[in-house]
């Protein structure tokens, strides 16, 4: 069980204020543009409390996806790890309040869920959810039920319409399909930001450094879905906050035939020159000649565009040549992203 932290609090430890809470309901995988509508509305309602005393804006969610409990035989691919989800919720100004979704909770009737969780545990004065929100045994609880119970209890309930992209509703399942296909520009449009991963940089075999393009290596989180294996044009955010152009290679290193290496992301970091991506001979050197020491530190990598699928090359020299090509492709792709790229590095 998670303890109270700056970005998430366990429901059992959460102490709502006397004034009550404005509550966002949902799992919020990816925190896409539809989720953002819900979170933003909760923040507005919290600040506009009728009696002049602000409510606490919170997002009530679960540590694990409900489908993992209801359908344990199926594998759920998630857009974000719990920590990424909670951080994004916090960025929108809400306290994430989370608990495990277990078999006991899955069997609660909808009205019991409303009364015990929303009314009593969260002391809700306002509640916001999406039009497709469901809850309770067999997902039988619906937004119209929330509206009726809210009216009876004097709790303001609002149902937010789904955001759209390309004339179709944005949903986490639609986003997962776009990630699966490597359509990273579509993913960025629906998320409102690039698909990203955060990881601690591990020491590798320094092969790239010997070739003149050192890489920062991070393992892929087990709880996060994989986009297609291969090369990507990326933007890397360093621990000091700088956001730099990068080439990311996501894969299992088939050319090197490393046994049990697992999937990891290798990131070759460059710099900007007149607003365009630029790769020096030693890509860890900035203009003053200092070197970034990233081992053991957190690196955030944003996926801007898919460049090429994973391949097994005939030898190391062919691999080296292909990496040079990926750098040129990344330079071209990042230069054409325009405002999307500028937004990611601002």
């Amino acid at each position: 069980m998670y303890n109270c932290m700056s970005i998430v609090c366990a429901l059992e430890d959460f102490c709502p204020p006397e004034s009550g809470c404005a509550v966002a309901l949902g799992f919020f995988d990816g925190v896409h543009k539809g989720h953002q509508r819900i979170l933003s509305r909760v923040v507005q309602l919290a600040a506009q409390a009728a009696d002049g005393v602000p409510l606490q804006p919170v997002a009530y969610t679960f540590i694990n996806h409900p489908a993992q409990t209801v359908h344990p035989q199926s594998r759920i691919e998630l857009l974000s790890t719990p920590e990424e989800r909670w951080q994004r919720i916090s960025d929108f100004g809400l306290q994430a309040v989370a608990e495990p979704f277990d078999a006991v909770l899955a069997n609660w009737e909808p009205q019991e869920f409303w009364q015990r969780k929303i009314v009593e545990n969260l002391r809700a004065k306002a509640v916001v959810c999406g039009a497709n929100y469901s809850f309770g045994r067999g997902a039988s609880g619906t937004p119209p039920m929330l509206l009726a119970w809210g009216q009876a209890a004097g709790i303001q309930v609002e149902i937010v319409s789904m955001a759209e992209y390309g004339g179709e509703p944005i949903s986490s399942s639609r986003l997962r399909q776009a990630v699966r296909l490597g359509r990273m520009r579509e993913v960025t449009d629906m998320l409102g930001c690039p698909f990203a991963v955060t990881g601690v940089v591990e020491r590798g075999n320094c092969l790239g450094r010997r070739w003149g393009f050192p890489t920062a290596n991070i393992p892929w989180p087990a709880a996060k879905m994989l986009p297609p294996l291969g090369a990507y044009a990326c933007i890397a955010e360093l621990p000091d906050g700088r956001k730099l152009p990068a080439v990311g290679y996501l894969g299992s290193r088939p050319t090197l035939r490393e046994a049990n290496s697992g999937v990891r992301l290798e990131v070759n970091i460059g710099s900007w020159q007149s607003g365009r991506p630029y790769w020096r001979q030693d890509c860890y050197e900035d203009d003053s000649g200092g070197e970034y020491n990233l081992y053991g530190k957190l690196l955030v990598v944003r996926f801007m565009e898919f460049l090429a699928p994973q391949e097994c090359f005939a030898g190391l020299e062919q691999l080296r040549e292909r990496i040079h090509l990926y750098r040129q492709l990344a330079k071209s792709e990042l230069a054409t992203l325009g405002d999307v790229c500028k937004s990611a590095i601002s």
Side-chain angles (χ1 to χ4, degrees), residues 5-332:
M5 301 189 302
S6 59
I7 61 172
V8 63
C9 179
L11 179 62
E12 64 182 19
D13 297 327
F14 179 64
C15 298
E18 289 294 327
S19 58
C21 296
V23 180
L25 297 176
F27 186 69
F28 304 112
D29 186 27
V31 193
H32 57 63
K33 285 184 175 179
H35 297 146
Q36 292 166 30
R37 284 187 177 186
I38 297 170
L39 301 177
S40 297
R41 184 55 182 155
V42 164
V43 171
Q44 291 174 352
L45 291 176
Q48 299 169 359
D51 59 4
V53 180
L55 305 175
Q56 181 174 351
V58 302
Y60 172 61
T61 185
F62 301 112
I63 296 169
N64 55 308
H65 195 287
Q68 293 172 324
T69 295
V70 178
H71 305 292
Q73 72 282 1
S74 62
R75 181 176 180 272
I76 306 299
E77 296 182 305
L78 298 179
L79 295 161
S80 48
T81 66
E83 293 78 12
E84 289 169 343
R85 216 168 9 114
W86 298 328
Q87 183 61 64
R88 289 272 283 156
I89 289 170
S90 177
D91 290 344
F92 278 87
L94 296 88
Q95 169 74 70
V97 178
E99 67 174 328
F101 189 89
D102 58 21
V104 174
L105 188 55
N107 282 314
W108 281 18
E109 295 299 333
Q111 193 158 18
E112 181 181 16
F113 178 86
W114 159 266
Q115 183 63 37
R116 292 179 60 179
K117 298 296 183 182
I118 299 172
V119 177
E120 297 175 8
N121 291 154
L122 297 170
R123 198 175 291 167
K125 302 298 183 185
V127 174
V128 182
C129 68
N132 62 342
Y133 180 69
S134 61
F135 60 100
R137 183 199 297 265
S140 57
T142 64
M145 290 179 179
L146 295 177
L147 286 169
W149 295 334
Q151 185 175 23
I155 297 172
Q156 182 176 358
V157 175
E158 290 192 12
I159 311 302
V160 175
S161 61
M162 299 179 72
E164 293 189 350
Y165 173 73
E168 298 291 335
I170 296 173
S171 66
S172 295
S173 57
R174 185 182 177 194
L175 264 162
R176 292 182 196 115
Q177 180 65 7
V179 171
R180 236 175 257 123
L181 295 173
R183 295 175 177 170
M184 307 318 292
R185 297 197 190 195
E186 292 181 21
V187 173
T188 297
D189 286 340
M190 289 190 280
L191 281 177
C193 64
F195 182 75
V197 64
T198 301
V200 175
V201 177
E202 297 181 343
R203 185 177 295 274
N205 57 17
C206 297
L207 183 61
R209 181 174 294 277
R210 293 199 298 271
W211 286 346
F213 36 81
T215 59
N217 305 321
I218 59 176
W220 193 263
K224 190 180 182 78
M225 74 173 298
L226 278 167
L229 302 184
Y232 289 83
C234 300
I235 291 175
E237 181 176 351
L238 278 72
D240 62 10
R242 272 181 282 189
K243 300 180 179 71
L244 302 177
V247 179
Y249 192 83
L250 179 66
S252 56
R253 314 186 88 194
T255 302
L256 300 181
R257 297 179 175 85
E258 293 186 352
N260 302 318
S261 62
V263 173
R264 63 177 174 178
L265 179 63
E266 302 182 47
V267 188
N268 178 217
I269 303 171
S271 60
W272 301 108
Q273 189 174 71
S274 301
R276 298 175 71 85
Y278 173 67
W279 275 265
R280 301 170 63 97
Q281 180 64 20
D282 181 344
C283 293
Y284 280 78
E285 288 184 352
D286 61 16
D287 291 340
S288 63
E291 183 174 311
Y292 301 130
N293 182 10
L294 297 177
Y295 293 138
K297 296 181 181 178
L298 281 177
L299 186 69
V300 180
V301 183
R302 296 177 173 85
F303 290 68
M304 306 304 296
E305 187 64 290
F306 181 53
L307 300 177
Q310 175 175 272
E311 297 180 65
C312 183
F313 301 105
L316 294 182
E317 186 57 35
Q318 186 182 15
L319 172 60
R320 179 180 181 180
E321 291 173 359
R322 191 55 57 92
I323 293 173
H324 279 294
L325 173 62
Y326 294 155
R327 293 168 78 184
Q328 293 305 311
L329 290 173
K331 181 177 181 179
S332 175

